[in-house]
Amino acid sequence: MSIKKFKHINNLAVFQDFDWDAIIRDDKGAIVEFSPINIFYGRNYSGKTTLSRIMRALELGTISDKYEAPEFTVCIKDLSDVTQVNLSAHTKKVRVFNEDFVKENLRFISNADESIVPFAILGGNTALEEEIKNLSNELGLEHEETPTGFYLERKNAREIYRTAKNTHETIIKQLDSKLTQKATSRETGIKYKPERFGDQNYNKTKLDADITLTLTDGFEPITDEAQQTLLILLDEKPNANIVALSRQNFSLVELSTEAELLVTKSLTASGKIEELVRNSILNKWVKEGKTLHEHKLVNCTFCGNKITEERWSALESHFDEESEKLSRGIASLMTKVEAEVSLVSDFLSFDNNAFYSKFHPNLNRLRVGMEHILEQYKESLEQLRLQLGARADDIINVGTFSEPVDFSTRLVKAYDFYEGIRSQSNAYTGKLSGDQASARTSLRLKEVYDFVTTIQYLEEVKNIEILKEKLDEKEADGKTIANKIKDQINLIESKQRLMNDEEKGALKVNEYLNNYFGHDFLTLKAIEEPDSITDGKKIRFEIVRNGNKAHHLSEGECSLIAFCYFMAKLEDIDTKGQKPIIWIDDPISSLDGNHIFFIYSLINSKIVTSQEFEQLFISTHNLDFLKYLKRLPGALNKNQSKYFMTVREGEKSQIKLMPKYLKDYVTEFNYLFHQIYICANADTDDDDQHIVYYNFANNARKFLESFLFYKYPNAVEHDEKLYRFFGDNRQASSMTERINNEYSHLEGIFERSMIPVDVPEMKKVANFVLDRIKEKDLDQFESLLKSIGVQLLEEPEENV
């Protein structure tokens, strides 16, 4: 969980709109991030201290109010980004050495009347030390990859919890996916079937509500048969108004009354042929024969004899007007009966399709019942017809009349029932849309109910609840272990407080001063004084020289004391064993070469070699110190160490990757050679190269002074060395001398500062220098090129 990068810095001193991801990339374009060890190099005022102040803001949880609207984002592995508004959100131990640390803790440097803020480290109680050691062993180490003790228990608990959480979330996601699919899938989702389920804005939230409804007590889904009925209803379109059928008058009663009169009517007996009266069949036969022979034939076609007048007279008397009238009456009534049969055959003729489907069942029942009643009614008419036919066949004799059953009342009721259905169907047009909406709701709920049953929703929910209970148990286990660690830390700290010894802090500083720097005459002393506030004691630190309070310390002495104080404070009770993130900003100010080496040795032995850090940042402006830092364990391992530069251009600074030549060949000589090489090969039309030309005179002068001193170490004037170096090329020596004098010094020729830089001349001089070095010593030239990461191309051989 180390710091990965300063993702963004804006409006913070010399940093404006700095974007890490846009700038800090390797030669393959990949973003480079911080390593366990990180080395920064930069000239003074290039922004090194500003970066340390960002880190100190993470340490203290606040940033100086002297900055106006600062913005920065620090990325930390496995934690949320830290910005200027949530400086205390992270859980890292950060310790920063910079000028702010010195001012806050060693105030005597700026004010002789002030003292040094004391700090306590563990004292020398053997029993307590052993107890603390045992407690610390139980607690273990909070190593990211290989923790021990309680931290290992916590890691295992977290892994178990993470597994349980993943399982729980996976089951939830699977169920959620099923619900989402059912709600909004284009192929099977309820949303995309609004014509059936009625909601084109249907979503998972609405599905959840429907599921809750279908699972309530008392909910009953519609049956499959009802489902089919409702589906038919959804296909309904508003019907035209159904016109009423004419109400029909049934005549069975009138026909029956009239038939009874005709069937039971008696005829006068005088003049009747007895034989025919007794035999109705013969009577009918004779009557038909009379009709066939009368006024047509003289002889009987049956026997061939002549029909006499007396026989005609007897037949006329037998078949008199009364009987003929009765026969005609019977025939007429039978015609009425037949007409009634035809009339009722078309009774209540209707088309189901004219009605809404919900009325079809009643219409079908009506149709079946009505057909049965009509058959009965027709049977009653048939009874009348048969009785009339029987009397017509035996017109002479009085018949017996049997009154048929009258079913006309039932037919009237059937008509009224039909009219009720017709009225309801016509009225239903206005209710159709509402019933269809209700039908869609019922169909949707049945769809949801069937879906819940199919996916075994209740079983899945129960399984999720069981997994949640297990997850809560694992979370509780993790909290128990976390509390266990917290309690153990509190116990250790409480016992450490029993051993707090501020004097030990002073002795640790003195140990570093004496062992590493040999300053046994300059020491830090812990002075005990009464505390008027607590009525107890308080400790202050004081610098002592030869037994007396020291005054007028040199800048170098102040630097040594400040850094030794910082190193000793890494062993105070709040830091010891915590493996903090450490930032050391330019600790070698005003120190000579020996002291610079000792600073390096102290960092190496007490921080790096002992691995008492999680992540280390060191910044410097000193190339000698940078050279030493390359010797740190892991410094040359690209996975363990990264090298950066702070580069200021005008009023703005950037963080950049350290160039290879500066990382691999740490001398200013190589750097100056590289600047001359860049000038010689720069594009004169590129505005971004302006700074190269602007600094060229100083860089060339310093390079040539160093280069020519080692080439001509005898006491010869610089100008003479230029002439000797360039030989017969007087143009090269003259132009170089002119640029060195006029562009690297403004004294006496101030007007030069008002004239634009002469780019072509500088580019030409840079090439003069490179060509001459190559000409005089090719091996050295190639070595210098390699030191700045340039491979010399072989020149083609000339044809012989």
Side-chain angles (χ1 to χ4, degrees), residues 672-692:
L672 295 172
F673 176 79
H674 187 237
Q675 295 303 306
I676 294 173
Y677 180 84
I678 292 175
C679 183
N681 293 277
D683 184 357
T684 57
D685 295 328
D686 188 352
D687 291 339
D688 292 337
Q689 300 288 348
H690 176 76
I691 191 69
V692 174

mmCIF file of all heavy atoms in Angstrom, residues 672-692:
data_model
loop_
_atom_site.group_PDB
_atom_site.id
_atom_site.type_symbol
_atom_site.label_atom_id
_atom_site.label_comp_id
_atom_site.label_asym_id
_atom_site.label_seq_id
_atom_site.Cartn_x
_atom_site.Cartn_y
_atom_site.Cartn_z
ATOM 1 N N LEU A 672 27.137 18.812 -18.710
ATOM 2 C CA LEU A 672 27.485 19.953 -19.556
ATOM 3 C C LEU A 672 27.761 19.509 -20.988
ATOM 4 O O LEU A 672 27.369 20.185 -21.951
ATOM 5 C CB LEU A 672 28.710 20.674 -18.975
ATOM 6 C CG LEU A 672 28.478 21.328 -17.596
ATOM 7 C CD1 LEU A 672 29.803 21.828 -17.035
ATOM 8 C CD2 LEU A 672 27.469 22.463 -17.704
ATOM 9 N N PHE A 673 28.410 18.341 -21.122
ATOM 10 C CA PHE A 673 28.660 17.817 -22.464
ATOM 11 C C PHE A 673 27.329 17.536 -23.170
ATOM 12 O O PHE A 673 27.161 17.815 -24.364
ATOM 13 C CB PHE A 673 29.492 16.538 -22.384
ATOM 14 C CG PHE A 673 29.721 15.890 -23.729
ATOM 15 C CD1 PHE A 673 30.677 16.375 -24.603
ATOM 16 C CD2 PHE A 673 28.954 14.815 -24.136
ATOM 17 C CE1 PHE A 673 30.876 15.793 -25.853
ATOM 18 C CE2 PHE A 673 29.132 14.227 -25.377
ATOM 19 C CZ PHE A 673 30.112 14.721 -26.239
ATOM 20 N N HIS A 674 26.385 17.004 -22.413
ATOM 21 C CA HIS A 674 25.089 16.686 -23.004
ATOM 22 C C HIS A 674 24.386 17.955 -23.493
ATOM 23 O O HIS A 674 23.746 17.961 -24.570
ATOM 24 C CB HIS A 674 24.220 15.964 -21.968
ATOM 25 C CG HIS A 674 22.926 15.459 -22.540
ATOM 26 N ND1 HIS A 674 21.703 15.817 -22.040
ATOM 27 C CD2 HIS A 674 22.675 14.632 -23.588
ATOM 28 C CE1 HIS A 674 20.752 15.223 -22.748
ATOM 29 N NE2 HIS A 674 21.306 14.497 -23.682
ATOM 30 N N GLN A 675 24.492 19.057 -22.747
ATOM 31 C CA GLN A 675 23.864 20.312 -23.155
ATOM 32 C C GLN A 675 24.487 20.844 -24.444
ATOM 33 O O GLN A 675 23.792 21.386 -25.313
ATOM 34 C CB GLN A 675 23.984 21.345 -22.030
ATOM 35 C CG GLN A 675 23.223 20.978 -20.765
ATOM 36 C CD GLN A 675 21.746 20.754 -21.032
ATOM 37 O OE1 GLN A 675 21.077 21.621 -21.593
ATOM 38 N NE2 GLN A 675 21.254 19.586 -20.660
ATOM 39 N N ILE A 676 25.817 20.687 -24.575
ATOM 40 C CA ILE A 676 26.477 21.120 -25.809
ATOM 41 C C ILE A 676 26.027 20.243 -26.972
ATOM 42 O O ILE A 676 25.778 20.742 -28.088
ATOM 43 C CB ILE A 676 28.013 21.051 -25.643
ATOM 44 C CG1 ILE A 676 28.465 22.085 -24.600
ATOM 45 C CG2 ILE A 676 28.726 21.290 -26.972
ATOM 46 C CD1 ILE A 676 29.927 21.982 -24.235
ATOM 47 N N TYR A 677 25.895 18.949 -26.726
ATOM 48 C CA TYR A 677 25.454 18.022 -27.783
ATOM 49 C C TYR A 677 24.036 18.382 -28.241
ATOM 50 O O TYR A 677 23.733 18.375 -29.435
ATOM 51 C CB TYR A 677 25.507 16.593 -27.252
ATOM 52 C CG TYR A 677 25.067 15.562 -28.270
ATOM 53 C CD1 TYR A 677 25.968 15.061 -29.217
ATOM 54 C CD2 TYR A 677 23.757 15.113 -28.307
ATOM 55 C CE1 TYR A 677 25.571 14.132 -30.156
ATOM 56 C CE2 TYR A 677 23.344 14.177 -29.245
ATOM 57 C CZ TYR A 677 24.259 13.693 -30.173
ATOM 58 O OH TYR A 677 23.856 12.775 -31.115
ATOM 59 N N ILE A 678 23.158 18.699 -27.265
ATOM 60 C CA ILE A 678 21.786 19.065 -27.616
ATOM 61 C C ILE A 678 21.770 20.321 -28.463
ATOM 62 O O ILE A 678 21.046 20.413 -29.473
ATOM 63 C CB ILE A 678 20.945 19.272 -26.333
ATOM 64 C CG1 ILE A 678 20.740 17.938 -25.606
ATOM 65 C CG2 ILE A 678 19.593 19.911 -26.662
ATOM 66 C CD1 ILE A 678 20.030 18.088 -24.279
ATOM 67 N N CYS A 679 22.592 21.310 -28.087
ATOM 68 C CA CYS A 679 22.640 22.557 -28.851
ATOM 69 C C CYS A 679 23.111 22.312 -30.279
ATOM 70 O O CYS A 679 22.591 22.886 -31.233
ATOM 71 C CB CYS A 679 23.545 23.558 -28.136
ATOM 72 S SG CYS A 679 23.627 25.173 -28.938
ATOM 73 N N ALA A 680 24.101 21.460 -30.437
ATOM 74 C CA ALA A 680 24.650 21.185 -31.769
ATOM 75 C C ALA A 680 23.623 20.509 -32.672
ATOM 76 O O ALA A 680 23.645 20.689 -33.888
ATOM 77 C CB ALA A 680 25.897 20.314 -31.644
ATOM 78 N N ASN A 681 22.700 19.742 -32.077
ATOM 79 C CA ASN A 681 21.764 18.953 -32.875
ATOM 80 C C ASN A 681 20.328 19.462 -32.780
ATOM 81 O O ASN A 681 19.407 18.818 -33.286
ATOM 82 C CB ASN A 681 21.796 17.484 -32.412
ATOM 83 C CG ASN A 681 23.119 16.808 -32.716
ATOM 84 O OD1 ASN A 681 23.344 16.328 -33.825
ATOM 85 N ND2 ASN A 681 24.013 16.799 -31.719
ATOM 86 N N ALA A 682 20.125 20.601 -32.118
ATOM 87 C CA ALA A 682 18.770 21.116 -31.923
ATOM 88 C C ALA A 682 18.234 21.700 -33.223
ATOM 89 O O ALA A 682 18.991 22.141 -34.098
ATOM 90 C CB ALA A 682 18.767 22.180 -30.828
ATOM 91 N N ASP A 683 16.886 21.704 -33.301
ATOM 92 C CA ASP A 683 16.189 22.297 -34.435
ATOM 93 C C ASP A 683 16.033 23.797 -34.173
ATOM 94 O O ASP A 683 15.406 24.199 -33.192
ATOM 95 C CB ASP A 683 14.820 21.645 -34.599
ATOM 96 C CG ASP A 683 14.080 22.155 -35.824
ATOM 97 O OD1 ASP A 683 14.607 23.050 -36.509
ATOM 98 O OD2 ASP A 683 12.966 21.644 -36.087
ATOM 99 N N THR A 684 16.608 24.616 -35.013
ATOM 100 C CA THR A 684 16.574 26.067 -34.776
ATOM 101 C C THR A 684 15.169 26.637 -34.868
ATOM 102 O O THR A 684 14.901 27.738 -34.384
ATOM 103 C CB THR A 684 17.474 26.778 -35.807
ATOM 104 O OG1 THR A 684 17.040 26.431 -37.124
ATOM 105 C CG2 THR A 684 18.923 26.390 -35.614
ATOM 106 N N ASP A 685 14.242 25.905 -35.506
ATOM 107 C CA ASP A 685 12.863 26.392 -35.637
ATOM 108 C C ASP A 685 11.980 25.946 -34.483
ATOM 109 O O ASP A 685 10.793 26.281 -34.442
ATOM 110 C CB ASP A 685 12.254 25.895 -36.955
ATOM 111 C CG ASP A 685 12.977 26.477 -38.162
ATOM 112 O OD1 ASP A 685 13.460 27.629 -38.044
ATOM 113 O OD2 ASP A 685 13.065 25.788 -39.192
ATOM 114 N N ASP A 686 12.519 25.160 -33.583
ATOM 115 C CA ASP A 686 11.734 24.636 -32.460
ATOM 116 C C ASP A 686 11.807 25.624 -31.299
ATOM 117 O O ASP A 686 12.850 25.812 -30.680
ATOM 118 C CB ASP A 686 12.270 23.267 -32.028
ATOM 119 C CG ASP A 686 11.367 22.607 -30.997
ATOM 120 O OD1 ASP A 686 10.435 23.276 -30.519
ATOM 121 O OD2 ASP A 686 11.606 21.426 -30.664
ATOM 122 N N ASP A 687 10.658 26.256 -30.987
ATOM 123 C CA ASP A 687 10.636 27.241 -29.904
ATOM 124 C C ASP A 687 10.938 26.619 -28.555
ATOM 125 O O ASP A 687 11.400 27.305 -27.635
ATOM 126 C CB ASP A 687 9.260 27.927 -29.852
ATOM 127 C CG ASP A 687 9.048 28.824 -31.062
ATOM 128 O OD1 ASP A 687 10.051 29.224 -31.682
ATOM 129 O OD2 ASP A 687 7.879 29.130 -31.373
ATOM 130 N N ASP A 688 10.663 25.328 -28.419
ATOM 131 C CA ASP A 688 10.906 24.665 -27.128
ATOM 132 C C ASP A 688 12.396 24.521 -26.825
ATOM 133 O O ASP A 688 12.778 24.195 -25.700
ATOM 134 C CB ASP A 688 10.240 23.283 -27.114
ATOM 135 C CG ASP A 688 8.728 23.391 -27.128
ATOM 136 O OD1 ASP A 688 8.226 24.459 -26.720
ATOM 137 O OD2 ASP A 688 8.067 22.427 -27.551
ATOM 138 N N GLN A 689 13.257 24.697 -27.824
ATOM 139 C CA GLN A 689 14.700 24.553 -27.634
ATOM 140 C C GLN A 689 15.359 25.862 -27.214
ATOM 141 O O GLN A 689 16.583 25.933 -27.054
ATOM 142 C CB GLN A 689 15.361 24.059 -28.940
ATOM 143 C CG GLN A 689 14.836 22.712 -29.425
ATOM 144 C CD GLN A 689 15.318 21.580 -28.545
ATOM 145 O OE1 GLN A 689 16.203 21.766 -27.724
ATOM 146 N NE2 GLN A 689 14.757 20.393 -28.731
ATOM 147 N N HIS A 690 14.563 26.898 -27.004
ATOM 148 C CA HIS A 690 15.131 28.206 -26.694
ATOM 149 C C HIS A 690 15.997 28.169 -25.442
ATOM 150 O O HIS A 690 17.065 28.798 -25.396
ATOM 151 C CB HIS A 690 14.016 29.239 -26.521
ATOM 152 C CG HIS A 690 14.513 30.601 -26.108
ATOM 153 N ND1 HIS A 690 15.131 31.462 -26.987
ATOM 154 C CD2 HIS A 690 14.508 31.226 -24.897
ATOM 155 C CE1 HIS A 690 15.477 32.562 -26.338
ATOM 156 N NE2 HIS A 690 15.110 32.454 -25.071
ATOM 157 N N ILE A 691 15.579 27.422 -24.441
ATOM 158 C CA ILE A 691 16.321 27.380 -23.175
ATOM 159 C C ILE A 691 17.718 26.799 -23.378
ATOM 160 O O ILE A 691 18.671 27.150 -22.670
ATOM 161 C CB ILE A 691 15.529 26.553 -22.114
ATOM 162 C CG1 ILE A 691 16.138 26.734 -20.726
ATOM 163 C CG2 ILE A 691 15.471 25.086 -22.502
ATOM 164 C CD1 ILE A 691 15.953 28.109 -20.171
ATOM 165 N N VAL A 692 17.867 25.897 -24.378
ATOM 166 C CA VAL A 692 19.181 25.307 -24.662
ATOM 167 C C VAL A 692 20.148 26.386 -25.119
ATOM 168 O O VAL A 692 21.307 26.441 -24.676
ATOM 169 C CB VAL A 692 19.054 24.201 -25.732
ATOM 170 C CG1 VAL A 692 20.435 23.680 -26.136
ATOM 171 C CG2 VAL A 692 18.173 23.080 -25.208
#
